[in-house]
Amino acid sequence: MDGMREDPIEKRKSYARYFREHLYIDDLKQSYPYDHGRIDEILDLLVDTVCSTTKTIRCAGEDRPAEVVKSRFMKLPYAYHYFHLEAFDLAKERAYTSPIRKHICLLNILCN
């Protein structure tokens, strides 16, 4: 970008658009009409992770290089989220009411 830093809001929008298209989020919501909230949580977590500016991301109990985690998330296959929607229920149960614990549980599921 000609030596200029990318606007963080535009960067988030760009990644959200990428994941919506690449993972067919609209189709996923159509197939799971009662799970829109969970699907949006997955999308938000993916965008939060790939937009992170940290050098490492704790994933599945390990500190991993952020670029490795981001690369892995960018390559997630479309069908991956169909398979893991049920696992998100378990993450929510384990997380109790803490948003931070829920975020960690969801990130661990995506990393596995």
Side-chain angles (χ1 to χ4, degrees):
M1 286 186 77
D2 299 3
M4 295 177 55
R5 290 180 40 164
E6 186 176 9
D7 176 23
I9 293 171
E10 288 304 313
K11 182 178 179 181
R12 287 188 63 79
K13 286 179 183 178
S14 176
Y15 278 116
R17 187 172 38 255
Y18 167 82
F19 284 118
R20 256 192 231 87
E21 292 170 5
H22 181 72
L23 299 175
Y24 301 93
I25 295 295
D26 291 336
D27 292 347
L28 192 60
K29 285 182 173 184
Q30 217 170 36
S31 296
Y32 292 91
Y34 300 106
D35 290 324
H36 287 202
R38 278 194 299 176
I39 294 165
D40 288 338
E41 284 181 73
I42 295 168
L43 179 61
D44 288 344
L45 182 61
L46 291 168
V47 172
D48 288 346
T49 302
V50 298
C51 289
S52 173
T53 59
T54 62
K55 293 196 183 300
T56 61
I57 295 174
R58 179 162 284 277
C59 194
E62 296 179 17
D63 286 332
R64 300 180 185 194
E67 292 308 314
V68 171
V69 175
K70 292 175 184 184
S71 174
R72 188 171 179 180
F73 280 17
M74 295 298 291
K75 296 174 187 170
L76 288 174
Y78 163 66
Y80 183 85
H81 295 292
Y82 280 102
F83 179 74
H84 281 78
L85 273 173
E86 294 304 316
F88 280 92
D89 278 338
L90 179 60
K92 281 186 173 185
E93 289 173 18
R94 286 185 183 165
Y96 307 108
T97 57
S98 166
I100 293 170
R101 278 187 54 106
K102 182 170 66 174
H103 178 87
I104 291 167
C105 288
L106 296 177
L107 188 59
N108 287 340
I109 290 168
L110 287 170
C111 285
N112 289 321

